[in-house]
Every structure is written in structure tokens, then in C-alpha cells.
Amino acid sequence: MTRGGARTSAAHAGPGRQRSGADPAPGRSDGDGPSGAVGGGDPVSAAWTDYLAAARQLDGVRRDAATAAGEQARSVEAAREELTTVRARLASQEARLRERGVPPISLLPTPPELTEATRSMAGGPAAVLAALRAARGRADAADAALAARGLPRLAGWPPRPRNLLVYGPLALLVPALQVALFVATGAGAASVAALVCGLPMPAVAFVAGWIGVGRLFPPPEGGRLDRTARLGALVCLVPAVLVSAGLLLAMLAG
């Protein structure tokens, strides 16, 4: 009975011992499996992430460099075109000034002017382009002064008072003639004819003033001349209407 009981105990205990000695626990890791690799970090994934970040950064630098190079190229091209225009304008102005008796030595830049110009263009193509555009603006002002035909001071006046000097005399010319004819001949046929002929003269005076403003005060190259059309029409119309009404009342009273 002792031997049978021992065998039974060994049979029951054998499977438990075998399992505990050969099979590892379900949650156990010996460091060689996948769990050990994840726990220690994947160097390939980390390297790939760093590579992507560096590639994105390099692409951003490349794009910025391409944008800057494109802007610089456009500035250089614009500066070349501006330089050609300014040179042509200065050559024309130099010829005109020499025709008017200006000594050639006065047309050359002084050393301080050259130093200031060099300093203003030391900032690259953008600074050169800005300096050339400023030079073109000064050339426009010089052209306006040269084209004023003896009226350089009036060319710098505001448009309204400057144009009034052209519209005003033309608007008063015909009414003054009508008044002089009425005083000389009285309420006769000549005065009536002058009054009738004077009716369309405000339009003629306005057109003559429009043309005169353009001839006496030409706009700078690429600019637009302000002829103050409403002011000119009003100035040409009011004297004619007042004088015509006065002459008509005088004729009716006579």
C-alpha cells in the first residue's frame, strides 16, 4: 500500500514539475524577444526620424535660398532697366543745358555727391534700385522745369492757381471786347451782333485754355497733367454770362 500510494503521488506531481521547469511564464521576457527590443528603443526608427527632420530643414533652407536668389535677380534686372532710362534722361538734359549756355563743369558731380551716391548704393541691388528710382524722380522734376518755357516757377505752383493764369485772361477777353463795343456804339446792331457772337465764346475760351495749360506746363515723363477742367469751365462761363446779361439789360433799357 505504501508503494502504490507513492506512485500515485508521483503521477499526480509529475506533470506539475515538468511544466514549471520547462515552460516559461506567459508574461516573462528574457531580453532576447520583441519585448526587450521595444523596451530598449529602436535605433533604426530613431535614425529615420532624425533623417526626415533634417531633410525637411534642408528643404526649407533650399526654398528660402531660391526665393532670395529670385528676388535678387528681379532687383538686378529692374535696376538695369532703370539705369538705362536714367542715363538716357540725363544725356538729354545735359544736351539741353549745354544749349542754354550752362558750363560743362557745372554738369559734373562733385566728390561729396559721388561719396553720398556710393554710400546709398552699398546695400545691394534693392538699394541700387531705390537710388535709381529717386534719381528718375529728380530727373522728372528737372524735365518739368526745363519744359516750362520760361515759367519754371509757375510750373511748381499748385494746379488751380497755375491754371487760373491761363483760363482767366481767355475768359475775360471776349466779354471785355463786347463791353468796349457797346460803350463805343451803344445799343445798336453792332452790339447785338457782338452779343450773339459771344454766346459760344466760353466754350472756345475753355478749349484754348485746355490747350494752353498743356503747352505751358507739360507733365513730366510718365506723369499726368491736372488741367482742373471744372475750374476752367466755371472761370470761362461766369464772366461771359454776367457780361451778356448786363449788356442785354442795358439794351432793353435803352
Side-chain angles (χ1 to χ4, degrees):
M1 185 168 179
T2 305
R3 290 181 182 176
R7 286 179 186 161
T8 304
S9 299
H12 286 292
R17 256 190 224 108
Q18 185 177 2
R19 181 184 303 167
S20 61
D23 297 339
R28 181 181 176 183
S29 175
D30 55 359
D32 295 335
S35 300
V38 174
D42 190 356
V44 176
S45 300
W48 178 250
T49 302
D50 295 339
Y51 170 77
L52 291 179
R56 293 191 188 97
Q57 185 177 3
L58 180 62
D59 184 66
V61 172
R62 182 186 63 81
R63 291 177 182 271
D64 294 341
T67 302
E71 292 178 355
Q72 186 173 5
R74 287 190 293 269
S75 298
V76 170
E77 185 64 24
R80 288 176 179 174
E81 295 177 358
E82 199 74 26
L83 179 60
T84 302
T85 303
V86 172
R87 279 179 175 175
R89 300 282 297 282
L90 292 180
S92 175
Q93 290 179 3
E94 182 179 0
R96 295 170 65 183
L97 289 173
R98 287 186 177 181
E99 291 176 358
R100 298 191 179 190
V102 178
I105 189 65
S106 301
L107 302 177
L108 298 176
T110 62
E113 291 174 345
L114 291 175
T115 302
E116 182 64 25
T118 303
R119 185 182 307 168
S120 64
M121 293 187 295
V128 174
L129 180 59
L132 289 173
R133 285 176 176 172
R136 187 179 64 173
R138 290 191 290 269
D140 291 340
D143 279 340
L146 289 174
R149 298 184 182 180
L151 302 174
R153 295 183 179 179
L154 297 181
W157 284 21
R160 290 178 178 274
R162 179 196 65 192
N163 296 345
L164 187 61
L165 296 177
V166 181
Y167 289 117
L170 294 173
L172 295 175
L173 179 60
V174 174
L177 293 177
Q178 289 176 337
V179 172
L181 186 61
F182 178 78
V183 172
T185 62
S191 297
V192 175
L195 182 62
V196 173
C197 293
L199 295 178
M201 294 311 295
V204 177
F206 173 74
V207 173
W210 178 280
I211 298 174
V213 170
R215 292 292 183 87
L216 295 175
F217 312 108
E221 186 175 350
R224 184 179 180 182
L225 178 62
D226 185 7
R227 287 185 167 90
T228 59
R230 293 182 179 178
L231 176 64
L234 185 64
V235 169
C236 294
L237 183 63
V238 170
V241 171
L242 294 178
V243 170
S244 298
L247 290 177
L248 183 60
L249 292 177
M251 290 178 185
L252 293 177

